[in-house]
């Protein structure tokens, strides 16, 4: 099975909670705060691995989590950092944040990595919070939650060259004779159901990656046949080898074939017609081939076209040389907005907080910033709770609540907790 798109959930590790403890040593009378910091949570990192060719693994692992950081320890000792989780994916994998419709990473090089969900920072131990007014804070900071996202992972093959043409024109046969790939070859349309890649060695030592694709038919760009779902795989090809069955084995007109395929390429969204094409007149062994080729040349007098009989490997070297020559100067086609830049999620705008009235006298407080502060707060101690309310005041929450009509004694809900507003 060829899996080229899958939705998964990723959750990075939570940072370990900081510790609240005090120095207790025999001859040290006023032991100060001494609790260590929590370790950072593990991140979820995607890595391009040349040994992977599909996203099949992800299909069976739809929830990926990384390890939480360890709690801070006594004597200012750090908690252990959580291990990162490395997800190996094929080269050419694009990772998208579904909620924000944002491309997070486009892994196009061997070993390239991108942090898709960052682990939460560990909470600071209580000694960080000592001040002259409060030399013995009894609270510590909690670990931050790890990032939690739903992502769409998509594979777009990274072949230099793509084979296009109607079904049964000999695309797979071509790939099979110029590379070690062993695609299925048969005299019925749509033999090739999933894209196949092969590494082609040109006799002079150059090489490139060639993709054999399912045949295209009229209407492919609208989803007819198998065309559309695979056209996207040639988005990244720099050169197209367009194979035409000059023998007209399926009783179509080769000249018409050429026009239809180009029309499909033009209709498809991604500038496919900007790719240089190398034209191949295949099946030149068939009786009508010569005559068809003559007509083709009349119709397109200025287009170079290579004659081949892929079945017996005739005429192929010239095609390979032509392709390799063009590749030397052809431009790359990587999605503009991504280029090589790995991670983009930092540009997501953070909502500090919002207030929603749930019912009379009850309001919900939510938003990225407020929730983060809340998760880090230790509200189980009085001092910790005080610090939390100070932080809210700093953010302007109190004022905003008043402006919303919140009065003394009203209930404020944050996630599962309820607080009473005291003005
Ligand atoms: N006579 C002749 N037949 C050929 C030649 N090249 C390929 N064929 C035959 O054409 C038929 C289709 O070949 P494939 O390579 O499977 O064609 P394809 O373009 O990959 O077809 P799809 O995968 O269905 O799109 C097979 O029976 C091949 O043996 C050739 O040069 N001459
Ligand atoms: Mg095929």
């Amino acid at each position: 099975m060829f899996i080229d798109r899958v939705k998964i959930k990723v959750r990075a590790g939570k940072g370990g909670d900081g510790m609240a403890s005090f120095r207790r040593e025999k001859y040290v009378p006023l032991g100060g705060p001494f609790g260590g910091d929590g370790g950072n949570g593990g991140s979820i990192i995607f890595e391009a691995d040349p040994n992977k060719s599909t996203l099949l693994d992800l299909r069976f692992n739809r929830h990926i989590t990384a390890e939480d950081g360890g709690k801070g320890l006594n004597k200012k000792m750090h908690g252990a950092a959580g291990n990162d989780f490395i997800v190996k994916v094929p080269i050419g994998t694009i990772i998208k944040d579904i909620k924000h419709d944002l491309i997070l990473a486009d892994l196009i090089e061997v070993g390239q990595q991108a942090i898709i969900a960052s682990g939460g920072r560990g909470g600071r131990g209580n000694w960080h919070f000592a001040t002259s007014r409060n030399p013995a804070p009894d609270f510590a900071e909690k670990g931050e939650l790890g990032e939690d996202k739903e992502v769409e992972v998509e594979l777009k093959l990274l072949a230099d060259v793509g084979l296009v043409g109607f079904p049964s024109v000999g695309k797979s046969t071509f790939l099979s004779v110029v590379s070690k790939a062993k695609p299925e070859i048969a005299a019925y349309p749509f033999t090739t159901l999933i894209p196949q890649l092969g590494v082609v060695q040109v006799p002079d030592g150059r090489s490139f990656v060639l993709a054999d694709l399912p045949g295209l038919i009229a209407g492919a760009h609208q989803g007819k046949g198998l065309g559309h779902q695979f056209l996207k795989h040639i988005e990244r090809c720099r050169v197209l080898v367009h194979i035409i069955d000059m023998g007209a084995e399926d009783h179509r007109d080769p000249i018409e074939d050429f026009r239809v395929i180009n029309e499909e390429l033009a209709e498809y969204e991604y500038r496919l017609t900007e790719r240089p094409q190398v034209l191949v007149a295949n099946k030149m062994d068939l009786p009508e081939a010569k005559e068809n080729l003559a007509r083709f040349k009349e119709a397109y007098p200025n287009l170079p076209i290579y004659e081949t009989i892929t079945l017996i490997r005739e005429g192929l070297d010239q095609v390979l040389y032509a392709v390799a020559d063009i590749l030397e100067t052809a431009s790359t086609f990587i999605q503009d907005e991504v280029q090589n830049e790995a991670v983009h999620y930092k540009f997501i705008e953070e909502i500090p907080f919002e207030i929603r009235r749930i019912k009379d006298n009850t309001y919900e407080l939510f938003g990225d910033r407020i929730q983060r502060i809340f998760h880090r707060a230790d509200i189980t101690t009085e001092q910790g709770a005080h610090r939390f309310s100070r932080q809210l005041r700093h953010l302007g929450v109190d004022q905003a609540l008043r402006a919303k009509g919140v009065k003394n004694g009203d209930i404020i809900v944050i996630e599962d907790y309820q607080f009473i507003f005291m003005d």
Side-chain angles (χ1 to χ4, degrees):
M1 201 178 359
F2 177 81
I3 301 291
D4 64 353
R5 182 181 294 174
V6 59
K7 284 184 184 170
I8 60 168
K9 289 190 170 135
V10 291
R11 205 189 69 227
K14 177 185 172 304
D17 295 342
M19 182 169 208
S21 70
F22 295 91
R23 188 170 195 153
R24 294 195 205 296
E25 280 166 38
K26 242 181 174 167
Y27 305 105
V28 187
L30 280 170
F34 214 31
D37 302 349
N40 293 336
S43 296
I44 292 172
I45 298 172
F46 277 58
E47 180 183 306
D49 180 344
N51 299 318
K52 293 266 176 218
S53 54
T54 74
L55 301 172
L56 196 61
D57 299 355
L58 293 180
R59 178 92 184 219
F60 299 109
N61 192 8
R62 301 254 181 140
H63 292 262
I64 296 177
T65 53
E67 208 182 13
D68 293 341
K71 287 192 162 102
L73 305 168
N74 202 357
K75 301 187 183 170
K76 290 194 185 174
M77 278 194 294
H78 265 275
N83 285 318
D84 292 336
F85 191 104
I86 310 260
V87 184
K88 303 220 166 170
V89 291
I91 297 168
T93 297
I94 296 169
I95 302 119
K96 202 161 140 192
D97 181 323
I98 294 174
K99 184 171 155 204
H100 297 97
D101 191 28
L102 194 73
I103 292 174
L104 300 176
D106 185 2
L107 301 173
I108 58 170
E109 279 164 29
V110 176
Q112 191 182 353
Q113 291 191 332
I115 298 174
I116 297 305
S118 299
R121 270 176 309 158
R124 285 169 293 174
N126 65 337
W127 65 273
H128 290 276
F129 303 104
T131 59
S132 51
R133 263 179 47 207
N134 182 7
D138 64 358
F139 64 93
E141 193 173 43
K142 292 213 176 140
E144 187 180 40
L145 288 182
E147 280 188 307
D148 193 349
K149 301 180 182 166
E150 203 175 343
V151 296
E152 182 177 273
V153 185
E154 190 183 359
L155 174 61
K156 288 194 184 179
L157 296 182
L158 277 181
D160 306 301
V161 183
L163 285 162
V164 295
F166 266 87
S168 295
V169 296
K171 299 180 297 297
S172 300
T173 312
F174 186 99
L175 179 74
S176 73
V177 294
V178 298
S179 77
K180 292 207 174 86
K182 305 230 171 323
E184 205 185 328
I185 294 165
Y188 57 86
F190 300 119
T191 313
T192 302
L193 297 175
I194 63 172
Q196 304 277 331
L197 292 189
V199 178
V200 180
Q201 296 287 347
V202 186
D204 62 12
R206 291 178 290 178
S207 74
F208 56 84
V209 178
L210 178 65
D212 171 27
L213 297 157
L216 299 172
I217 55 172
H221 73 277
Q222 302 163 320
K224 294 234 172 79
L226 295 166
H228 191 265
Q229 72 188 106
F230 294 114
L231 270 174
K232 69 171 193 249
H233 288 297
I234 50 177
E235 278 179 10
R236 295 183 159 194
C237 293
R238 291 187 287 146
V239 175
L240 301 180
V241 172
H242 188 154
I243 302 196
I244 301 164
D245 173 1
M246 272 307 161
E249 209 175 11
D250 282 350
H251 310 294
R252 290 183 313 263
D253 177 14
I255 296 158
E256 181 68 2
D257 277 10
F258 178 65
R259 191 185 61 77
V260 171
I261 295 294
N262 280 325
E263 225 168 68
E264 289 307 319
L265 297 178
E267 289 300 327
Y268 188 68
E269 63 213 277
Y270 204 72
R271 295 157 57 192
L272 295 181
T273 39
E274 287 176 33
R275 281 22 164 213
Q277 281 188 15
V278 174
L279 295 188
V280 172
N282 191 32
K283 306 199 187 180
M284 288 306 295
D285 55 310
L286 293 180
E288 280 159 41
K290 289 256 156 1
E291 194 202 314
N292 283 333
L293 181 63
R295 279 198 301 124
F296 186 94
K297 286 184 169 167
E298 234 169 79
Y300 299 100
N302 299 320
L303 290 182
I305 185 161
Y306 296 87
E307 300 176 39
T308 64
I309 307 171
T310 48
L311 215 47
I312 56 164
R313 302 171 179 238
E314 199 169 295
L316 299 170
D317 285 353
Q318 286 85 330
V319 179
L320 302 187
Y321 284 125
V323 171
D325 287 347
I326 298 174
L327 274 176
E328 286 181 5
T329 54
S331 44
T332 49
F333 288 86
I334 297 293
Q335 297 194 11
D336 302 335
E337 76 267 38
V338 186
Q339 304 260 310
N340 213 344
E341 207 38 61
V343 182
H344 283 242
Y345 63 88
K346 298 215 168 64
F347 300 127
I348 294 171
E349 213 182 313
E350 199 184 55
I351 301 165
F353 66 88
E354 279 176 45
I355 299 162
R356 173 166 52 207
R357 178 157 166 209
I358 305 178
K359 55 182 187 222
D360 277 351
N361 307 327
T362 306
Y363 298 81
E364 188 187 8
L365 197 52
F366 60 100
D368 305 327
R369 190 76 189 284
I370 200 87
Q371 273 156 298
R372 232 188 17 236
I373 292 175
F374 176 62
H375 290 137
R376 307 205 79 176
D378 177 4
I379 50 172
T380 58
T381 77
E382 204 180 317
Q383 292 175 13
H386 260 122
R387 177 163 186 267
F388 178 57
S389 61
R390 267 203 312 279
Q391 285 174 312
L392 296 194
R393 206 172 316 128
H394 265 299
L395 254 189
V397 172
D398 293 24
Q399 235 176 345
L401 286 172
R402 273 185 221 109
K404 271 259 174 188
V406 178
K407 295 177 304 298
N408 204 18
D410 284 354
I411 292 169
I412 308 296
V413 177
I414 304 178
E415 295 192 353
D416 302 336
Y417 283 78
Q418 298 197 345
F419 300 87
I420 293 173
F421 185 67
M422 291 192 290
D423 214 353

